[in-house]
Amino acid sequence: MNVIIVGCGRVGYIIAEHLSKENHDVTLVDSDENKLQAPLANLDIQAVVGNGTTFSALREAGVKNADILIAVTSEDEMNMISCMIAKKANPNCSTIARVRKPEYLPERNFFKNAIGMSMVINPELAAAKEIYSLISIPNALEVDAFANGRIELLKVKVTEDSILNGMKVADVSKKFDRKVLICILVHEGNVSIPNGSTVLSAGDMISVILPKAYISTFYNSVSNSSLKTIKNVMIAGGGTTGYYLAEMLSDAGINVKIIEFDRNRCEVLSSQLSSRAEVINGDAENRDTLLENGLENMDAFVALTTVDEENIFLSLYANKVAPECKQITRIQKLEKDEIIASLPLGSIVVPRQLTAEYILQHVRASMGRDSGSSVEALYELMDGKVEALEFSISEENEVLNVPLADLKIKPSILVASIVRGKKFITPSGNDMIQLNDTVIIVTTVKGLDDITDILD
Amino acid sequence: MNSKGVIRILGFVVGLEGIFFLLPALVGLIYKEYFGAAVYLGLALVCVLVAFLIIKVFVKNRDRSKGFYGKEGFVATALSWIVMSLIGAVPFRVTGDIPHYLDAVYETVSGFTTTGASIITDVESIMHCNLFFRSFTHWLGGMGVLVFILAIMPMAGGSPLSLMKAESPGPTVSKLVPKAQKTALILYGLYIALTLAEFLLIVFDPSINVFESICHTFGTAGTGGFGVRNNSVASFSPYVQVVTTVFMLLFGLNFSFYYLLLLKRFREAFNFSEIRWYFGIYFGAVALMLIDLAVKGFGAGKNLIAVFFSCASVMTTTGYTVADFGEWPVFTHVIFFTLMFIGGCAGSTGGGFKVARIILLTKQIGRDVRKQIHPNRVTTIKNDGKAVSEEVLASINRLFITYVFILVISTLIIALDGFDFTTTFAAVMSTYNNIGVGLGDICVGDSFSMFSYTSKSVMILDMLFGRLEIIPMLLLFSPSTWKK
C-alpha cells in the first residue's frame, strides 16, 4: 500500500518505521531536510523535501497513487490543508489528520463528512481516554479494549501470595470457568505466548483476556486485596489532557482535584468543568500543596505537568506518601526505556506512542477492507513485541467451521477470543470460527493480514 | 562494525557469481571448448558451496538482526567488488588465456568497473567462454552487483539504501519508489529492456555474428568497452556503429529519466537539467572537434561518424573505437581528456566525475563571483528549481579534492615506468574514469600490457576508486572503520 506521511516528527517517524517494516511503500514529506536524514538512513522509505500543504510537494510524493495520507505536522491547520489537497487530488486516498486544538474537537464530524477525512486524531484526547480507562480498572497496569469495548486485555502481575503463583495456565482457565485466557507471559523479561502446560511463578507479568463484566470477579480472586472503586483522583497539571480527563472523570461521578500553577488557566478550567471537579491554584511541585489537598487519601494520582522529569518525581513521591494510590505518569519527550520502566511510577502513558498506535490500527484496518476477512484493529503490546489483531469474518474460507484443535495453526499464534453476536467465547480446542464472528488473535508473528494467515 | 553482516553480503555476492559462471560454461559447451566449460562449471560449484556455507552455517540467524548501517553498507560494497574481481580472475588464469594472475585480476577489475582497459594483445585468440565472461562482467558491473542482489531478494532490516548509495554513481542517490527492492527491480528492468533493444537492432547486421552482438551489447550497456575484435568496432558496418553511438549515449543517461518517461511525466523528464547539460556538452564537443578537423585539413566529412562515435564513447566512458584518433590534432585530444573527466550522468552506467556534479561545481564558481561583488548577498544554488543544500555542495567539493589528489599520486607512480606524459596521464585518466581507451602509446587498438605490475596494481585500485566513487574504497583503508 502507498502511504504518504506529512511531517517527520516523532509520531511521523514511529508510523513510518512500523509501516515500512510491514512492507508498505512509505513516502515522508517534510520541509526540513535535516529531519529526513535519519529516517532515510535507517528505514526503507522515500523522502520528499517540501511543504506538505502544497500540491507540488504532494504530487512529487505520489499522491495520485497513494492509498493513505497521514498528516502529523505540528500545526493542525497544515494537517487539515494537506488532507484536503490530497482528497482533491485523489478521491481514493483516505486521509488521517492529527488535530489537537480543543476548539476543533466539536468539528470532528464536519471534518469527516465535509472534508472527507477518514480519521481525526487528537493526541491529548487519546491520552485522556487511555488514562481514564486505566483509572477505571485499578491495579491492572495496561488495558486495551476489543470488540467495541466488550472485552478487555488486562495486564496483571503475579505476586508471591497470589493463587496464580505456581499454577498451570490450563488450570487457570479451568478455575475460572473457561472465561479467562492468559495470552501473553513475561517471564524474566522474555515475552512469549504461553501454552497450557506453562507454569506461572511470582514476578511474572501476564496479560489476560476476559469479558469486561468478569474483571472484578477475576481480580478479587487472584489478589488478596479486593477491588476497590475509585472515588477520588488528583491531577497535577491542568493542560488540555488534564481538562479532558477531569471532564470524563467528573461525568463518571468521580471527585477530581486539578492542581494548576497558572491562575488564568485555573479560571478557564473552573469555568468549563462541572463543580465535581475542584480546581486548585497551586504548585504541584510543592509537597505541602499536595498533602494539604489530601494526596494520602487519593485513590489515583495522575502526573500531567509539562515537564517529564517533574512527572516522574511527582509519581515517585505519590508512591511514597500514598502507596495504596494508583499512579499514572505521562511522558512526552523521554523514551519509555528500561530505566523508566524499572521505577515505581505506576502506569506510564506516552501520548505520541498512543497517537501512532491509533493511526496504525486505522491503517491496518483499512488495509484489508477489500478482502474477505479483515483486520478491524491492531494493538501493539509489550513494546511492540506482541500484536493483538481483531478480525471480522465476512467470507467463507478454510479456517471456518473446523474445530480449532484440528487446524494447523502456526506456533506463537493464539486464538484468544471469538465474539459471536453478543456471546463471548474463550475458545478451547472444540470451538469453531464461524461466519460473521469477530476473532481476536494474539501473536508474536508480525504482518498478519488475513485470518487464513494463522495457518501454518 | 557488524562483520558478520558484511560477510553475509559477501556470501551472496560469491553465490551470485557462482550462478553467473554457468553462463560462460554454457558458451564453452556451445563452442566445444570443453576445458573452459569444465573450469567455469567447477568454479560455479565451489562458489555456490562456499556461499551456502557462509550464509547458512557461518552467519547464525541471530546475527542477522544486528545493526547494518551506512558504514557496513559501504565496506560490504567495496569488499564485494574486490572479492568478485579476485574470483572472476581465476578462470582466465586457469584456462591459460591470461598466464599471470595479476593480469587476470586487472582484466576482471577492468570488466566489472566497466573500464574496458585490456592487457590482452590478441583478443581474437581468446576462448569464446572467456570472451563472453569478460563482456558479461561489464553488463553486471554497469548497473551494479549489489543492486542486482537487492532486486532479487529482500534485505531484512538495516539500511538497504547504504548498499545502493555505495554502488550507484551520483551526488545524491534517491530511490525511484519507496522500497529499495522495487527501485532495484525497476532499474534492472529498464536496463534489461535497453540491452535487449540494442541487441535486436544489431544482431541482423551481416558484419556482426550473434556471439559478437551479445558481447558487443554487454560492452555498450555497461559502458564498458571490451571488444571482441582486435580493432574494436572499426570492422563492423556503419549501421552498427551508428546504433552503438546512440545506445552509448542512452546508457550514459540518468536512469531516472527513463522512469519519468515510463510514468508519462514527459515535461519533468525533458526539463531535467542534467540531461540538457549532458547533450549540450556532447554536441559542443562534437562541433568543436569537427571544426578543428576541418580547419587542420583532416577532413570533417569523412570523419563524421568517427567523431560522433568517439565523443560518445569517451564521454559515456565506454571506450569503443572506430578510428585512430591518436593521429588527430592535439586540440581534439584535450577535448577527449575533458570529456573523460566529465563522464556520464549520475545514476547511469557511465563513469567519470558525472555531469550532475560538474553542474554544481560550475554554479558555485558563479556564486563565489557574485559573493565578492555583494558580500552580504545570500545566495543558494538551485538545480532543477530546488535549492541544493550546502552539505551536498561541500561533499562534492571534498570529493573533487580527493579525486585530484588520487589522480596526482597515481600519475606519479605510473610515471616511474618512463613512458611519455600523454601515455602516462592517459593511462590514469582512462582507468580512473573507467573509460578503457587512452592516448599516446595506449590509443586505439593498443593494450595496457606493457605497464609494470606496480603500475597495473595502481590502475586496478584506480578503476575501483573510480567506479565506487572513492569513498567506499577509502573507508577500507581507514583504521577507524575496523575498530570495534
Side-chain angles (χ1 to χ4, degrees):
Chain A
M1 208 160 59
N2 297 319
V3 184
I4 299 175
I5 300 172
V6 179
C8 184
R10 291 153 184 269
V11 172
Y13 189 100
I14 298 174
I15 299 171
E17 185 177 10
H18 280 83
L19 290 180
S20 75
K21 283 194 178 138
E22 285 164 26
N23 225 6
H24 297 295
D25 290 353
V26 179
T27 307
L28 273 173
V29 181
D30 200 299
S31 47
D32 185 352
E33 197 176 342
N34 293 326
K35 277 192 184 163
L36 294 168
Q37 295 299 338
L40 254 188
N42 302 330
L43 310 174
D44 196 3
I45 51 117
Q46 199 174 24
V48 171
V49 182
N51 183 343
T53 54
T54 59
F55 173 62
S56 58
L58 290 180
R59 189 183 55 175
E60 200 182 334
V63 73
K64 292 255 157 82
N65 298 314
D67 298 297
I68 292 188
L69 178 130
I70 302 165
V72 283
T73 68
S74 49
E75 296 297 324
D76 289 352
E77 291 77 11
M78 281 184 64
N79 294 340
M80 290 191 255
I81 293 174
S82 245
C83 287
M84 284 162 69
I85 295 174
K87 201 77 201 172
K88 280 282 172 216
N90 176 3
N92 296 324
C93 177
S94 56
T95 53
I96 299 175
R98 176 170 65 183
V99 177
R100 50 167 25 129
K101 283 186 193 150
E103 52 264 45
Y104 288 128
L105 194 61
E107 329 221 309
R108 276 178 167 208
N109 284 330
F110 175 76
F111 293 150
K112 284 189 182 174
N113 299 331
I115 308 179
M117 286 187 200
S118 50
M119 181 190 190
V120 180
I121 175 126
N122 180 327
E124 279 78 20
L125 187 65
K129 276 185 179 163
E130 173 84 3
I131 296 169
Y132 175 72
S133 127
L134 285 168
I135 288 176
S136 57
I137 303 156
N139 293 342
L141 295 179
E142 210 177 271
V143 191
D144 279 308
F146 290 99
N148 298 327
R150 285 195 297 272
I151 308 160
E152 306 274 350
L153 187 65
L154 203 57
K155 201 161 146 188
V156 187
K157 192 170 182 173
V158 179
T159 52
E160 274 302 334
D161 46 7
S162 160
I163 55 157
L164 295 175
N165 190 2
M167 224 176 184
K168 270 198 207 161
V169 168
D171 296 340
V172 175
S173 94
K174 263 181 220 150
K175 178 164 173 62
F176 293 102
D177 252 0
R178 299 211 304 103
K179 278 181 183 155
V180 171
L181 185 66
I182 297 174
C183 298
I184 309 166
L185 169 72
V186 185
H187 179 70
E188 289 166 359
N190 294 321
V191 180
S192 64
I193 310 280
N195 58 31
S197 56
T198 313
V199 179
L200 302 175
S201 52
D204 287 356
M205 197 69 94
I206 53 171
S207 285
V208 187
I209 198 163
L210 72 176
K212 199 168 188 175
Y214 203 68
I215 289 176
S216 56
T217 323
F218 174 75
Y219 187 81
N220 288 339
S221 49
V222 297
S223 65
N224 36 15
S225 63
S226 67
L227 191 72
K228 62 174 185 182
T229 48
I230 295 275
K231 290 197 196 82
N232 300 299
V233 175
M234 183 183 278
I235 302 173
T240 319
T241 312
Y243 163 72
Y244 288 141
L245 178 62
E247 199 176 30
M248 286 178 209
L249 290 171
S250 48
D251 282 353
I254 295 169
N255 300 318
V256 188
K257 268 188 185 167
I258 303 186
I259 302 182
E260 168 57 42
F261 187 69
D262 181 9
R263 173 90 210 172
N264 295 334
R265 176 70 188 158
C266 284
E267 275 165 17
V268 173
L269 285 172
S270 130
S271 68
Q272 288 176 347
L273 290 168
S274 75
S275 58
R276 202 184 279 281
E278 276 179 57
V279 181
I280 314 274
N281 179 215
D283 187 356
E285 267 190 282
N286 186 337
R287 296 180 176 180
D288 286 338
T289 314
L290 296 179
L291 294 178
E292 208 176 288
N293 286 293
L295 175 60
E296 285 148 306
N297 303 321
M298 287 293 157
D299 301 314
F301 175 80
V302 189
L304 292 179
T305 71
T306 46
V307 184
D308 287 352
E309 290 81 354
E310 201 178 314
N311 288 340
I312 291 174
F313 278 101
L314 284 173
S315 282
L316 289 175
Y317 179 66
N319 184 49
K320 180 102 182 157
V321 178
E324 290 294 300
C325 160
K326 179 175 175 54
Q327 301 102 37
I328 293 162
T329 314
R330 179 177 71 177
I331 287 179
Q332 282 175 308
K333 291 213 173 68
L334 298 175
E335 286 294 322
K336 186 183 171 185
D337 56 9
E338 312 87 272
I339 298 171
I340 286 179
S342 70
L343 296 172
L345 297 174
S347 307
I348 296 164
V349 172
V350 188
R352 65 165 189 274
Q353 234 165 35
L354 278 175
T355 310
E357 268 169 35
Y358 275 49
I359 292 176
L360 285 168
Q361 280 167 21
H362 186 90
V363 172
R364 289 296 296 269
S366 64
M367 189 173 64
R369 198 167 272 163
D370 48 9
S371 75
S373 307
S374 61
V375 181
E376 283 284 303
L378 167 106
Y379 301 86
E380 289 214 329
L381 310 167
M382 310 286 162
D383 297 326
K385 289 185 185 111
V386 180
E387 279 181 0
L389 299 128
E390 198 175 308
F391 289 99
S392 70
I393 312 293
S394 56
E395 208 173 64
E396 290 287 340
N397 60 45
E398 63 262 43
V399 180
L400 302 191
N401 305 322
V402 180
L404 290 178
D406 296 341
L407 284 173
K408 284 193 83 174
I409 295 174
K410 285 181 195 151
S412 306
I413 286 186
L414 181 75
V415 179
S417 176
I418 300 173
V419 183
R420 187 165 300 151
K422 293 203 164 163
K423 231 168 87 192
F424 168 92
I425 304 163
T426 303
S428 69
N430 300 325
D431 287 305
M432 292 181 267
I433 299 173
Q434 294 176 5
L435 201 63
N436 299 326
D437 285 355
T438 298
V439 181
I440 293 162
I441 305 285
V442 176
T443 176
T444 50
V445 181
K446 297 259 169 142
L448 297 184
D449 275 346
D450 194 276
I451 188 71
T452 52
D453 289 346
I454 66 169
L455 296 180
D456 209 356
Chain B
M1 188 75 191
N2 174 4
S3 45
K4 290 263 173 114
V6 172
I7 291 171
R8 183 161 172 263
I9 301 279
L10 292 182
F12 284 122
V13 170
V14 172
L16 188 73
E17 190 164 17
I19 292 165
F20 282 136
F21 275 149
L22 295 175
L23 294 172
L26 189 72
V27 172
L29 286 178
I30 293 170
Y31 284 95
K32 302 202 169 56
E33 296 161 351
Y34 295 118
F35 176 57
V39 169
Y40 279 106
L41 204 61
L43 265 174
L45 286 176
V46 173
C47 284
V48 170
L49 192 70
V50 168
F52 180 79
L53 286 178
I54 290 177
I55 296 162
K56 290 283 169 199
V57 182
F58 179 69
V59 182
K60 309 274 187 309
N61 256 332
R62 64 186 150 82
D63 295 327
R64 284 185 198 170
S65 50
K66 276 195 197 156
F68 196 85
Y69 304 105
K71 180 173 78 169
E72 278 84 2
F74 275 38
V75 168
T77 309
L79 285 177
S80 298
W81 281 72
I82 293 172
V83 165
M84 69 189 185
S85 300
L86 293 178
I87 296 174
V90 174
F92 292 123
R93 169 73 187 81
V94 174
T95 54
D97 271 346
I98 302 177
H100 197 289
Y101 181 66
L102 193 77
D103 281 332
V105 172
Y106 186 98
E107 197 76 8
T108 322
V109 170
S110 175
F112 277 122
T113 59
T114 74
T115 306
S118 178
I119 48 82
I120 297 171
T121 41
D122 181 12
V123 176
E124 285 161 31
S125 69
I126 304 287
M127 280 192 219
H128 285 86
C129 53
N130 281 337
L131 276 184
F132 175 85
F133 182 63
R134 212 169 70 117
S135 294
F136 184 73
T137 55
H138 276 335
W139 189 79
L140 193 58
M143 193 50 85
V145 178
L146 294 167
V147 176
F148 190 89
I149 292 178
L150 276 181
I152 53 175
M153 54 189 299
M155 288 276 162
S159 160
L161 188 62
S162 66
L163 290 172
M164 276 183 78
K165 253 190 203 153
E167 211 177 45
S168 313
T172 49
V173 174
S174 58
K175 289 181 271 187
L176 304 172
V177 291
K179 284 267 169 270
Q181 188 180 11
K182 244 188 241 170
T183 305
L185 271 175
I186 292 171
L187 285 176
Y188 258 96
L190 291 167
Y191 191 42
I192 290 171
L194 278 171
T195 310
L196 261 178
E198 186 192 354
F199 172 74
L200 292 176
L201 281 174
I202 61 170
V203 71
F204 302 106
D205 193 271
S207 69
I208 188 167
N209 65 34
V210 175
F211 177 77
E212 286 170 333
S213 312
I214 294 174
C215 292
H216 180 76
T217 307
F218 282 160
T220 323
T223 66
F226 275 146
V228 280
R229 294 202 191 164
N230 285 337
N231 61 0
S232 192
V233 188
S235 54
F236 296 140
S237 71
Y239 167 72
V240 173
Q241 295 175 1
V242 170
V243 171
T244 310
T245 308
V246 171
F247 273 91
M248 285 192 294
L249 287 171
L250 290 181
F251 282 109
L253 277 178
N254 193 326
F255 273 56
S256 317
F257 172 76
Y258 300 117
Y259 185 62
L260 288 175
L261 287 190
L262 215 64
L263 295 180
K264 303 204 172 87
R265 281 151 69 175
F266 299 111
R267 191 185 305 180
E268 274 167 84
F270 290 104
N271 280 338
F272 218 146
S273 69
E274 191 180 13
I275 308 281
R276 295 170 160 204
W277 277 63
Y278 174 76
F279 283 112
I281 293 168
Y282 172 70
F283 287 112
V286 168
L288 285 176
M289 232 178 237
L290 285 174
I291 294 169
D292 189 54
L293 286 175
V295 170
K296 301 258 165 67
F298 283 81
K302 67 172 180 188
N303 282 321
L304 200 63
I305 291 184
V307 168
F308 273 98
F309 187 97
S310 305
C311 280
S313 172
V314 171
M315 182 167 178
T316 63
T317 74
T318 309
Y320 281 142
T321 52
V322 289
D324 189 0
F325 49 71
E327 293 168 358
W328 294 354
V330 178
F331 180 73
T332 61
H333 292 175
V334 177
I335 290 182
F336 280 134
F337 274 124
T338 315
L339 290 180
M340 281 183 179
F341 163 67
I342 294 172
C345 292
S348 72
T349 63
F353 202 68
K354 305 287 162 348
V355 175
R357 289 201 185 91
I358 302 289
I359 298 175
L360 295 175
L361 280 180
T362 324
K363 286 190 175 171
Q364 284 184 75
I365 301 173
R367 173 168 76 163
D368 282 0
V369 172
R370 285 198 295 275
K371 198 114 198 159
Q372 287 301 320
I373 301 168
H374 306 285
N376 292 327
R377 183 166 171 185
V378 178
T379 47
T380 41
I381 290 188
K382 284 189 184 171
N383 195 26
D384 285 327
K386 280 199 167 178
V388 181
S389 77
E390 291 301 317
E391 177 52 35
V392 169
L393 293 174
S395 78
I396 291 174
N397 298 349
R398 285 196 297 269
L399 190 79
F400 181 68
I401 296 164
T402 325
Y403 176 92
V404 172
F405 205 69
I406 293 174
L407 185 73
V408 171
I409 293 175
S410 308
T411 317
L412 270 175
I413 299 174
I414 290 172
L416 290 173
D417 278 359
F419 295 104
D420 64 74
F421 176 75
T422 311
T423 310
T424 309
F425 190 60
V428 178
M429 284 296 276
S430 175
T431 46
Y432 196 17
N433 295 311
N434 302 140
I435 293 146
V437 65
L439 285 157
D441 294 343
I442 44 168
C443 196
V444 179
D446 299 321
S447 96
F448 285 64
S449 58
M450 62 192 183
F451 288 99
S452 68
Y453 283 113
T454 319
S455 297
K456 282 177 187 162
S457 312
V458 170
M459 284 189 247
I460 288 174
L461 283 176
D462 281 346
M463 290 190 268
L464 288 167
F465 269 102
R467 173 62 181 84
L468 299 180
E469 304 206 310
I470 302 173
I471 305 299
M473 285 296 290
L474 270 189
L475 221 53
L476 288 187
F477 294 100
S478 157
S480 62
T481 308
W482 303 103
K483 271 188 198 144
K484 285 264 168 192

